Amino acid sequence: MMKVVYITFPNKKSAKEIARLLLKKKLIACANIYAIDSLYTWKGEVADESEFVLWAKTNREKIKDIENLVQANHQYEVPCIVNFDVEANSAYANWVTQTLK
């Protein structure tokens, strides 16, 4: 089953750094990074921040290693790491599978 992992970052530089680490270790096949506005509650206050989100394509077997790498290298005290089961066209899904070998 193909997975997509959603991870937020305080800036584009840190998102790219972690994406490159994940790619080098073959934990993800592809990363997309873009700017977002985030509103959330943190330590009793409502935060309104500009962030960057990383969408990473991978498989189920890599999720725990992705979480460990991100937590070890992320500057947030509690990084957002959310994964989703997804379906993709067979050619793309095969490319992801082959890239992660």
Side-chain angles (χ1 to χ4, degrees):
M1 171 68 64
M2 202 171 121
K3 295 284 229 175
V4 173
V5 184
Y6 173 97
I7 310 164
T8 56
F9 294 89
N11 55 60
K12 192 174 190 177
K13 181 180 182 230
S14 60
K16 282 187 168 186
E17 287 172 355
I18 290 191
R20 283 190 180 96
L21 283 173
L22 293 166
L23 287 162
K24 281 184 181 181
K25 294 187 175 288
K26 292 192 179 253
L27 296 177
I28 65 172
C30 174
N32 303 113
I33 299 167
Y34 55 94
I36 59 171
D37 291 327
S38 296
L39 286 92
Y40 54 93
T41 302
W42 181 249
K43 298 186 178 182
E45 300 291 327
V46 174
D48 185 345
E49 306 284 339
S50 294
E51 291 185 299
F52 284 81
V53 66
L54 163 66
W55 283 98
K57 288 76 162 199
T58 191
N59 63 34
R60 179 173 281 137
E61 293 77 25
K62 308 284 185 179
I63 294 297
K64 196 53 157 167
D65 290 335
I66 291 168
E67 290 175 359
N68 291 337
L69 185 144
V70 171
Q71 289 174 354
N73 292 282
H74 205 290
Q75 60 267 58
Y76 285 168
E77 185 178 332
V78 181
C80 170
I81 310 165
V82 179
N83 71 77
F84 303 91
D85 290 334
V86 296
E87 292 184 25
N89 60 306
S90 60
Y92 189 81
N94 289 337
W95 173 79
V96 168
T97 299
Q98 293 304 311
T99 301
L100 295 175
K101 287 184 178 180

XYZ file of all heavy atoms in Angstrom:
821
model
N 0.847 -1.186 0.000
C 0.000 0.000 0.000
C 0.887 1.241 0.000
O 1.803 1.369 0.798
C -0.891 -0.017 1.234
C -1.681 1.255 1.474
S -2.987 1.689 0.317
C -4.140 0.382 0.517
N 0.601 2.123 -0.892
C 1.338 3.381 -0.957
C 0.875 4.298 0.168
O -0.289 4.273 0.562
C 1.111 4.051 -2.307
C 2.205 5.038 -2.651
S 2.044 5.607 -4.356
C 1.886 7.344 -4.029
N 1.805 5.079 0.689
C 1.533 6.035 1.754
C 1.992 7.419 1.311
O 2.947 7.553 0.537
C 2.305 5.681 3.023
C 1.914 4.379 3.667
C 0.626 4.518 4.390
C 0.694 3.973 5.787
N -0.523 4.222 6.533
N 1.315 8.428 1.845
C 1.767 9.809 1.718
C 1.924 10.332 3.138
O 1.046 10.131 3.988
C 0.773 10.672 0.919
C 1.180 12.133 0.956
C 0.689 10.196 -0.516
N 3.060 10.964 3.401
C 3.344 11.500 4.725
C 3.325 13.026 4.644
O 3.940 13.612 3.749
C 4.712 11.007 5.255
C 4.949 11.501 6.678
C 4.794 9.488 5.189
N 2.616 13.647 5.578
C 2.447 15.098 5.671
C 3.237 15.573 6.888
O 3.011 15.092 8.006
C 0.955 15.379 5.847
C 0.567 16.805 6.125
C 0.140 17.635 5.099
C 0.564 17.319 7.417
C -0.268 18.936 5.344
C 0.163 18.615 7.681
C -0.246 19.417 6.645
O -0.651 20.702 6.898
N 4.216 16.462 6.666
C 5.070 16.956 7.751
C 5.190 18.476 7.612
O 5.471 18.968 6.513
C 6.484 16.338 7.686
C 6.413 14.814 7.561
C 7.313 16.749 8.909
C 7.705 14.168 7.111
N 5.003 19.199 8.705
C 5.120 20.659 8.653
C 6.465 21.123 9.206
O 7.061 20.474 10.074
C 3.977 21.343 9.436
O 3.975 20.867 10.783
C 2.636 21.076 8.783
N 6.913 22.275 8.677
C 8.206 22.853 9.040
C 8.092 24.363 9.190
O 7.253 24.989 8.545
C 9.239 22.558 7.940
C 9.567 21.103 7.805
C 8.821 20.292 6.971
C 10.597 20.544 8.525
C 9.093 18.949 6.844
C 10.895 19.195 8.408
C 10.136 18.398 7.564
N 8.993 24.986 9.963
C 8.944 26.433 10.141
C 9.454 27.211 8.932
O 9.143 28.387 8.777
C 9.832 26.681 11.358
C 10.796 25.545 11.354
C 10.019 24.366 10.809
N 10.240 26.544 8.075
C 10.782 27.233 6.904
C 11.094 26.227 5.798
O 11.163 25.019 6.030
C 12.029 28.057 7.274
C 13.082 27.208 7.953
O 13.576 26.242 7.388
N 13.421 27.552 9.189
N 11.272 26.750 4.596
C 11.521 25.909 3.421
C 12.860 25.184 3.516
O 12.983 24.022 3.106
C 11.469 26.782 2.167
C 11.433 26.016 0.880
C 11.222 26.980 -0.278
C 10.933 26.270 -1.564
N 10.658 27.215 -2.654
N 13.856 25.870 4.061
C 15.195 25.273 4.170
C 15.162 23.978 4.989
O 15.718 22.956 4.574
C 16.162 26.278 4.803
C 17.564 25.757 4.935
C 18.485 26.793 5.564
C 19.887 26.239 5.636
N 20.487 26.368 6.946
N 14.506 24.001 6.131
C 14.469 22.795 6.965
C 13.639 21.687 6.307
O 13.976 20.507 6.421
C 13.969 23.110 8.370
O 12.681 23.651 8.345
N 12.577 22.048 5.603
C 11.791 21.038 4.884
C 12.646 20.359 3.815
O 12.619 19.135 3.665
C 10.559 21.684 4.255
N 13.417 21.148 3.076
C 14.279 20.577 2.037
C 15.392 19.720 2.634
O 15.740 18.665 2.085
C 14.891 21.687 1.182
C 13.936 22.248 0.161
C 14.657 23.221 -0.757
C 13.804 23.561 -1.955
N 14.528 24.376 -2.928
N 15.957 20.153 3.747
C 17.025 19.373 4.385
C 16.526 17.990 4.789
O 17.186 16.981 4.531
C 17.571 20.117 5.610
C 18.428 21.310 5.257
C 18.809 22.159 6.465
O 18.324 21.887 7.596
O 19.576 23.117 6.278
N 15.369 17.941 5.421
C 14.842 16.642 5.845
C 14.388 15.825 4.638
O 14.587 14.609 4.592
C 13.749 16.807 6.914
C 14.432 17.279 8.208
C 12.954 15.524 7.109
C 13.614 17.275 9.450
N 13.824 16.468 3.628
C 13.450 15.742 2.408
C 14.683 15.079 1.793
O 14.628 13.914 1.383
C 12.791 16.685 1.406
N 15.778 15.808 1.731
C 17.010 15.237 1.167
C 17.517 14.050 1.994
O 17.973 13.041 1.437
C 18.086 16.312 1.054
C 17.871 17.239 -0.107
C 19.077 18.166 -0.350
N 18.809 19.037 -1.473
C 18.332 20.283 -1.371
N 18.085 20.805 -0.184
N 18.111 21.007 -2.446
N 17.442 14.154 3.319
C 17.838 13.023 4.175
C 16.959 11.807 3.908
O 17.464 10.687 3.787
C 17.714 13.413 5.654
C 18.781 14.293 6.263
C 18.386 14.698 7.692
C 20.124 13.589 6.271
N 15.663 12.027 3.821
C 14.733 10.926 3.562
C 14.978 10.293 2.197
O 14.932 9.065 2.053
C 13.289 11.433 3.666
C 12.823 11.863 5.065
C 11.521 12.646 4.979
C 12.682 10.655 5.983
N 15.263 11.123 1.201
C 15.555 10.608 -0.142
C 16.860 9.814 -0.161
O 16.924 8.733 -0.746
C 15.616 11.757 -1.149
C 14.266 12.381 -1.511
C 14.467 13.756 -2.141
C 13.477 11.458 -2.422
N 17.916 10.340 0.474
C 19.212 9.648 0.494
C 19.112 8.281 1.144
O 19.781 7.342 0.736
C 20.251 10.489 1.238
C 20.818 11.605 0.429
C 21.904 12.337 1.209
C 22.462 13.475 0.406
N 23.528 14.190 1.136
N 18.286 8.161 2.176
C 18.127 6.890 2.886
C 17.067 5.991 2.242
O 16.749 4.933 2.775
C 17.799 7.150 4.352
C 18.938 7.816 5.094
C 18.665 7.909 6.571
C 19.857 8.458 7.310
N 20.963 7.530 7.404
N 16.522 6.425 1.097
C 15.500 5.678 0.364
C 14.275 5.386 1.235
O 13.660 4.324 1.140
C 16.061 4.401 -0.237
C 17.049 4.677 -1.351
C 17.360 3.423 -2.121
C 18.320 3.744 -3.232
N 17.718 3.720 -4.524
N 13.932 6.357 2.083
C 12.730 6.233 2.892
C 11.519 6.825 2.177
O 10.385 6.481 2.493
C 12.927 6.908 4.250
C 13.996 6.275 5.139
C 14.158 7.073 6.425
C 13.658 4.825 5.443
N 11.778 7.714 1.223
C 10.723 8.276 0.388
C 11.178 8.256 -1.068
O 12.375 8.246 -1.351
C 10.328 9.717 0.812
C 11.480 10.703 0.604
C 9.849 9.739 2.255
C 11.113 12.172 0.807
N 10.208 8.278 -1.969
C 10.523 8.293 -3.397
C 10.467 9.707 -3.963
O 11.127 10.005 -4.954
C 9.546 7.400 -4.160
N 9.679 10.567 -3.332
C 9.418 11.895 -3.881
C 8.964 12.806 -2.754
O 8.328 12.353 -1.805
C 8.324 11.770 -4.937
S 7.745 13.316 -5.628
N 9.272 14.103 -2.886
C 8.815 15.088 -1.911
C 8.294 16.321 -2.637
O 8.883 16.759 -3.620
C 9.954 15.485 -0.984
N 7.184 16.850 -2.152
C 6.652 18.122 -2.622
C 6.591 19.051 -1.419
O 6.142 18.652 -0.351
C 5.249 17.972 -3.197
C 5.204 16.968 -4.318
O 4.586 15.927 -4.169
N 5.849 17.245 -5.421
N 7.039 20.288 -1.600
C 7.093 21.257 -0.514
C 6.392 22.527 -0.965
O 6.653 23.017 -2.066
C 8.558 21.567 -0.133
C 9.257 20.284 0.342
C 8.629 22.668 0.923
C 10.765 20.396 0.448
N 5.520 23.043 -0.111
C 4.868 24.302 -0.448
C 4.487 25.072 0.815
O 4.385 24.509 1.909
C 3.660 24.094 -1.361
C 2.626 23.146 -0.855
C 1.525 23.606 -0.157
C 2.737 21.775 -1.079
C 0.565 22.740 0.307
C 1.777 20.908 -0.611
C 0.692 21.391 0.083
O -0.251 20.511 0.543
N 4.265 26.372 0.659
C 3.934 27.266 1.765
C 2.481 27.104 2.182
O 1.606 26.903 1.341
C 4.199 28.712 1.357
N 2.255 27.194 3.499
C 0.900 27.130 4.055
C 0.766 28.140 5.191
O 1.762 28.589 5.759
C 0.555 25.716 4.583
C 1.542 25.272 5.677
C 0.488 24.709 3.459
C 1.143 23.992 6.395
N -0.464 28.486 5.529
C -0.776 29.237 6.741
C -1.312 28.232 7.743
O -2.195 27.439 7.420
C -1.838 30.303 6.478
C -1.319 31.428 5.594
O -0.120 31.749 5.682
O -2.117 31.965 4.816
N -0.777 28.246 8.956
C -1.197 27.297 9.982
C -1.718 28.032 11.209
O -1.068 28.957 11.698
C -0.023 26.408 10.409
O 0.415 25.605 9.346
N -2.860 27.624 11.680
C -3.414 28.111 12.936
C -3.592 26.899 13.837
O -4.140 25.877 13.399
C -4.756 28.809 12.710
C -4.646 30.181 12.064
C -4.744 30.079 10.570
C -5.681 31.101 12.627
N -3.116 26.992 15.077
C -3.192 25.868 15.995
C -3.045 26.372 17.428
O -2.593 27.496 17.660
C -2.105 24.822 15.677
C -0.711 25.402 15.644
C 0.089 25.387 16.781
C -0.188 25.969 14.482
C 1.363 25.931 16.760
C 1.078 26.505 14.458
C 1.859 26.488 15.595
O 3.120 27.026 15.575
N -3.435 25.538 18.369
C -3.258 25.867 19.776
C -1.949 25.268 20.260
O -1.685 24.084 20.043
C -4.430 25.307 20.609
O -5.648 25.852 20.097
C -4.289 25.670 22.073
N -1.125 26.101 20.894
C 0.146 25.635 21.437
C 0.351 26.273 22.801
O 0.345 27.499 22.921
C 1.300 25.988 20.497
C 2.619 25.514 21.000
C 3.660 26.282 21.451
C 3.065 24.160 21.131
N 4.706 25.496 21.852
C 4.364 24.182 21.660
C 2.477 22.937 20.859
C 5.098 23.026 21.925
C 3.216 21.779 21.111
C 4.500 21.835 21.633
N 0.470 25.437 23.824
C 0.680 25.876 25.208
C -0.361 26.912 25.630
O -0.052 27.943 26.214
C 2.105 26.382 25.392
C 3.139 25.293 25.133
C 4.547 25.709 25.447
C 5.476 24.526 25.194
N 6.852 24.789 25.516
N -1.624 26.619 25.286
C -2.735 27.441 25.719
C -2.999 28.691 24.897
O -3.932 29.432 25.176
N -2.196 28.933 23.881
C -2.358 30.120 23.034
C -2.639 29.688 21.597
O -2.160 28.648 21.144
C -1.080 30.966 23.046
C -0.674 31.475 24.424
C -1.618 32.522 24.967
O -2.168 33.300 24.172
O -1.812 32.558 26.203
N -3.392 30.516 20.881
C -3.629 30.260 19.473
C -2.485 30.863 18.666
O -2.189 32.055 18.782
C -4.983 30.836 19.014
C -5.143 30.680 17.504
C -6.129 30.150 19.744
N -1.827 30.021 17.889
C -0.722 30.455 17.031
C -1.240 30.635 15.612
O -2.121 29.896 15.169
C 0.402 29.427 17.064
N -0.692 31.610 14.923
C -1.026 31.883 13.522
C 0.313 32.069 12.817
O 0.941 33.116 12.944
C -1.897 33.139 13.442
C -2.396 33.435 12.038
O -1.863 32.865 11.066
O -3.319 34.261 11.924
N 0.768 31.036 12.129
C 2.127 30.998 11.591
C 2.146 30.684 10.103
O 1.265 30.013 9.590
C 2.940 29.900 12.299
C 2.976 29.982 13.807
C 3.888 31.056 14.323
O 4.781 31.489 13.578
O 3.696 31.477 15.484
N 3.193 31.122 9.451
C 3.512 30.660 8.101
C 4.422 29.454 8.259
O 5.376 29.490 9.038
C 4.231 31.751 7.315
O 3.367 32.829 7.092
N 4.104 28.388 7.557
C 4.909 27.174 7.616
C 5.077 26.626 6.204
O 4.525 27.153 5.246
C 4.234 26.096 8.479
C 4.185 26.392 9.947
C 3.614 25.220 10.738
O 2.447 24.838 10.503
O 4.353 24.683 11.576
N 5.844 25.554 6.118
C 5.984 24.803 4.881
C 5.601 23.371 5.168
O 5.913 22.833 6.222
C 7.420 24.890 4.338
C 7.696 26.204 3.688
C 8.021 27.307 4.457
C 7.577 26.365 2.316
C 8.234 28.542 3.867
C 7.794 27.589 1.717
C 8.122 28.684 2.500
N 4.886 22.777 4.228
C 4.490 21.383 4.372
C 5.263 20.543 3.354
O 5.500 20.969 2.224
C 2.968 21.197 4.212
C 2.499 21.518 2.817
C 2.539 19.795 4.598
N 5.671 19.385 3.820
C 6.330 18.388 2.978
C 5.346 17.233 2.810
O 4.873 16.675 3.802
C 7.607 17.904 3.662
C 8.251 16.609 3.168
C 8.766 16.774 1.763
C 9.358 16.184 4.101
N 5.004 16.925 1.567
C 4.227 15.737 1.230
C 5.225 14.743 0.648
O 5.878 15.031 -0.349
C 3.158 16.045 0.182
C 1.948 16.740 0.704
C 1.700 18.069 0.650
C 0.823 16.147 1.342
N 0.477 18.338 1.215
C -0.087 17.165 1.648
C 0.495 14.829 1.689
C -1.299 16.926 2.285
C -0.721 14.593 2.315
C -1.598 15.631 2.610
N 5.361 13.580 1.287
C 6.343 12.585 0.862
C 5.637 11.294 0.477
O 4.742 10.833 1.184
C 7.337 12.325 1.986
N 6.044 10.716 -0.654
C 5.459 9.455 -1.122
C 6.364 8.301 -0.720
O 7.571 8.341 -0.936
C 5.278 9.456 -2.648
C 4.154 10.368 -3.118
C 4.589 11.769 -3.055
C 3.728 12.706 -3.886
N 4.401 13.946 -4.162
N 5.751 7.263 -0.147
C 6.515 6.146 0.380
C 5.631 4.899 0.438
O 4.590 4.847 -0.200
C 7.093 6.504 1.768
O 8.033 5.515 2.162
C 6.020 6.682 2.821
N 6.057 3.912 1.237
C 5.219 2.732 1.469
C 5.109 2.472 2.969
O 5.805 3.100 3.779
C 5.740 1.506 0.703
C 7.124 1.086 1.145
O 7.501 1.208 2.311
N 7.909 0.568 0.218
N 4.239 1.575 3.329
C 3.940 1.284 4.736
C 5.190 0.863 5.523
O 5.349 1.238 6.683
C 2.872 0.197 4.792
C 2.496 -0.217 6.197
C 1.319 -1.163 6.217
N 0.132 -0.345 6.031
C -0.886 -0.670 5.235
N -0.858 -1.782 4.557
N -1.928 0.112 5.125
N 6.070 0.111 4.894
C 7.241 -0.413 5.586
C 8.209 0.685 6.045
O 9.008 0.462 6.949
C 7.994 -1.406 4.688
C 7.233 -2.676 4.390
C 6.124 -2.522 3.347
O 6.200 -1.610 2.493
O 5.164 -3.312 3.402
N 8.155 1.841 5.445
C 9.114 2.909 5.744
C 8.619 3.898 6.802
O 9.387 4.734 7.272
C 9.432 3.703 4.462
C 9.867 2.864 3.283
C 11.272 2.401 3.414
C 11.709 1.666 2.140
N 13.074 1.224 2.205
N 7.358 3.807 7.207
C 6.761 4.836 8.060
C 7.508 5.016 9.388
O 7.817 6.133 9.791
C 5.258 4.555 8.308
C 4.478 4.680 6.995
C 4.686 5.469 9.386
C 4.505 6.060 6.372
N 7.801 3.958 10.092
C 8.454 4.081 11.404
C 9.835 4.725 11.259
O 10.213 5.593 12.066
C 8.558 2.712 12.083
C 8.848 2.811 13.548
C 7.836 3.718 14.178
C 7.629 3.538 15.622
N 6.865 4.634 16.206
N 10.594 4.333 10.242
C 11.918 4.931 10.024
C 11.801 6.408 9.662
O 12.638 7.214 10.073
C 12.678 4.176 8.934
C 13.112 2.790 9.380
O 13.265 2.566 10.595
O 13.289 1.929 8.501
N 10.776 6.766 8.901
C 10.542 8.177 8.569
C 10.264 8.960 9.848
O 10.860 10.012 10.098
C 9.383 8.331 7.564
C 9.798 7.789 6.202
C 8.933 9.796 7.469
C 8.653 7.628 5.211
N 9.358 8.452 10.673
C 9.034 9.124 11.937
C 10.276 9.306 12.791
O 10.507 10.389 13.338
C 7.977 8.333 12.704
C 6.608 8.377 12.077
C 5.592 7.488 12.783
O 5.951 6.798 13.766
O 4.432 7.489 12.348
N 11.091 8.267 12.920
C 12.312 8.350 13.734
C 13.283 9.390 13.187
O 13.844 10.189 13.948
C 12.992 6.983 13.832
C 12.189 5.997 14.652
O 11.369 6.376 15.485
N 12.422 4.723 14.415
N 13.506 9.395 11.881
C 14.432 10.352 11.275
C 13.926 11.781 11.459
O 14.688 12.679 11.837
C 14.641 10.048 9.798
C 15.673 10.922 9.100
C 16.443 10.135 8.066
C 15.052 12.144 8.452
N 12.645 12.001 11.210
C 12.090 13.349 11.345
C 12.189 13.817 12.797
O 12.649 14.928 13.072
C 10.641 13.417 10.826
C 10.003 14.764 11.161
C 10.611 13.170 9.317
N 11.780 12.991 13.738
C 11.835 13.391 15.144
C 13.259 13.688 15.602
O 13.478 14.612 16.388
C 11.198 12.319 16.019
C 9.696 12.273 15.855
C 9.025 11.135 16.601
O 9.672 10.271 17.177
N 7.710 11.138 16.582
N 14.234 12.961 15.093
C 15.627 13.181 15.479
C 16.223 14.444 14.866
O 17.204 14.985 15.386
C 16.469 11.964 15.092
N 15.644 14.923 13.758
C 16.248 16.041 13.024
C 15.374 17.292 12.940
O 15.794 18.290 12.360
C 16.586 15.590 11.605
C 17.689 14.569 11.591
O 18.854 14.901 11.722
N 17.325 13.298 11.477
N 14.191 17.253 13.499
C 13.235 18.357 13.383
C 13.420 19.346 14.531
O 13.687 18.951 15.657
C 11.812 17.805 13.405
C 10.804 18.680 12.738
N 10.412 19.884 13.257
C 10.106 18.515 11.588
C 9.504 20.428 12.461
N 9.307 19.619 11.431
N 13.258 20.633 14.256
C 13.435 21.639 15.298
C 12.209 21.839 16.182
O 12.314 22.409 17.248
C 13.921 22.973 14.740
C 13.028 23.626 13.734
C 13.395 23.252 12.317
O 13.406 22.083 11.960
N 13.675 24.233 11.494
N 11.035 21.358 15.750
C 9.841 21.488 16.591
C 9.899 20.508 17.752
O 10.347 19.366 17.597
C 8.571 21.203 15.799
C 8.115 22.283 14.851
C 7.126 21.996 13.917
C 8.641 23.571 14.865
C 6.666 22.966 13.027
C 8.192 24.544 13.987
C 7.206 24.235 13.074
O 6.761 25.191 12.206
N 9.397 20.946 18.898
C 9.294 20.076 20.061
C 8.361 18.894 19.769
O 8.630 17.761 20.166
C 8.752 20.892 21.240
C 8.696 20.169 22.550
C 8.201 21.057 23.680
O 8.401 22.296 23.611
O 7.596 20.514 24.619
N 7.270 19.169 19.061
C 6.301 18.133 18.675
C 6.030 18.290 17.178
O 5.117 19.006 16.778
C 4.986 18.264 19.475
C 4.009 17.169 19.073
C 5.244 18.245 20.975
N 6.837 17.642 16.342
C 6.595 17.776 14.901
C 5.312 17.067 14.471
O 4.933 16.046 15.047
C 7.821 17.118 14.268
C 8.396 16.238 15.312
C 7.999 16.814 16.635
N 4.655 17.642 13.476
C 3.468 17.032 12.874
C 3.942 16.034 11.819
O 4.559 16.422 10.825
C 2.599 18.116 12.234
S 1.258 17.453 11.233
N 3.663 14.753 12.050
C 3.989 13.693 11.099
C 2.734 12.845 10.955
O 2.393 12.071 11.849
C 5.160 12.814 11.589
C 6.350 13.665 12.016
C 5.548 11.791 10.522
C 7.394 12.916 12.828
N 2.016 13.024 9.861
C 0.758 12.334 9.641
C 0.884 11.525 8.350
O 1.385 12.039 7.354
C -0.410 13.353 9.505
C -1.720 12.651 9.245
C -0.491 14.236 10.745
N 0.433 10.268 8.383
C 0.504 9.479 7.151
C -0.875 8.998 6.736
O -1.757 8.794 7.559
C 1.510 8.332 7.279
C 1.044 7.235 8.195
O 0.202 6.426 7.817
N 1.582 7.188 9.415
N -1.024 8.871 5.422
C -2.292 8.490 4.806
C -2.071 7.317 3.857
O -1.082 7.298 3.119
C -2.850 9.647 3.957
C -3.050 10.928 4.703
C -2.039 11.877 4.769
C -4.257 11.200 5.329
C -2.218 13.077 5.451
C -4.444 12.395 6.014
C -3.425 13.334 6.078
N -3.010 6.368 3.860
C -3.040 5.340 2.823
C -3.596 5.993 1.568
O -4.592 6.723 1.644
C -3.960 4.188 3.217
C -3.409 3.353 4.358
O -2.181 3.310 4.538
O -4.223 2.743 5.077
N -2.952 5.770 0.439
C -3.418 6.360 -0.815
C -3.380 5.324 -1.926
O -2.648 4.337 -1.860
C -2.579 7.599 -1.233
C -2.722 8.719 -0.226
C -1.118 7.231 -1.430
N -4.173 5.568 -2.946
C -4.126 4.776 -4.163
C -3.570 5.662 -5.258
O -3.869 6.854 -5.315
C -5.522 4.294 -4.537
C -6.066 3.281 -3.564
C -7.414 2.746 -3.992
O -7.728 2.766 -5.205
O -8.164 2.308 -3.105
N -2.766 5.078 -6.104
C -2.179 5.816 -7.222
C -2.327 4.989 -8.490
O -2.554 3.777 -8.422
C -0.703 6.096 -6.953
N -2.169 5.660 -9.627
C -2.167 4.902 -10.874
C -1.021 3.888 -10.815
O -0.016 4.098 -10.137
C -2.040 5.847 -12.077
C -0.770 6.659 -12.043
O -0.490 7.326 -11.055
N 0.003 6.614 -13.109
N -1.196 2.771 -11.477
C -0.247 1.663 -11.326
C 1.166 2.030 -11.740
O 2.132 1.610 -11.095
C -0.733 0.425 -12.071
O -0.866 0.688 -13.449
N 1.334 2.823 -12.786
C 2.688 3.205 -13.210
C 3.395 4.009 -12.124
O 4.580 3.785 -11.836
C 2.631 4.000 -14.518
N 2.685 4.946 -11.512
C 3.295 5.760 -10.451
C 3.580 4.910 -9.216
O 4.668 4.988 -8.634
C 2.396 6.947 -10.087
C 3.093 7.917 -9.160
C 3.990 8.855 -9.651
C 2.871 7.874 -7.789
C 4.646 9.732 -8.815
C 3.527 8.749 -6.935
C 4.410 9.676 -7.451
O 5.067 10.534 -6.606
N 2.638 4.082 -8.823
C 2.835 3.213 -7.661
C 4.026 2.281 -7.875
O 4.830 2.064 -6.957
C 1.566 2.418 -7.380
N 4.179 1.751 -9.080
C 5.330 0.898 -9.397
C 6.628 1.685 -9.320
O 7.649 1.176 -8.840
C 5.172 0.258 -10.773
C 4.109 -0.809 -10.789
O 3.763 -1.397 -9.770
N 3.550 -1.054 -11.968
N 6.609 2.931 -9.789
C 7.808 3.779 -9.715
C 8.204 4.000 -8.254
O 9.382 3.897 -7.904
C 7.562 5.116 -10.419
C 8.695 6.073 -10.212
C 9.895 6.075 -10.869
C 8.760 7.130 -9.267
N 10.695 7.094 -10.393
C 10.008 7.741 -9.400
C 7.863 7.622 -8.312
C 10.405 8.828 -8.607
C 8.247 8.693 -7.537
C 9.504 9.294 -7.694
N 7.230 4.287 -7.391
C 7.516 4.477 -5.960
C 8.140 3.213 -5.396
O 9.179 3.265 -4.732
C 6.244 4.891 -5.185
C 6.479 4.800 -3.676
C 5.792 6.287 -5.575
N 7.540 2.068 -5.670
C 8.055 0.792 -5.165
C 9.486 0.551 -5.622
O 10.359 0.196 -4.815
C 7.144 -0.373 -5.614
O 5.836 -0.157 -5.083
C 7.679 -1.717 -5.151
N 9.762 0.759 -6.899
C 11.097 0.529 -7.441
C 12.116 1.524 -6.869
O 13.263 1.156 -6.594
C 11.083 0.611 -8.964
C 10.306 -0.508 -9.631
C 10.808 -1.885 -9.213
O 11.998 -2.165 -9.233
N 9.890 -2.739 -8.808
N 11.699 2.760 -6.666
C 12.604 3.789 -6.156
C 13.020 3.508 -4.711
O 14.130 3.832 -4.318
C 11.912 5.170 -6.245
O 11.585 5.415 -7.614
C 12.796 6.287 -5.738
N 12.155 2.884 -3.952
C 12.442 2.620 -2.539
C 13.287 1.375 -2.302
O 13.661 1.097 -1.184
C 11.122 2.526 -1.755
C 10.321 3.825 -1.707
C 8.981 3.589 -1.028
C 11.092 4.928 -1.012
N 13.606 0.639 -3.363
C 14.428 -0.586 -3.200
C 15.891 -0.245 -3.044
O 16.389 0.731 -3.505
C 14.230 -1.497 -4.403
C 12.891 -2.158 -4.381
C 12.761 -3.129 -5.538
C 11.416 -3.819 -5.460
N 11.224 -4.766 -6.545
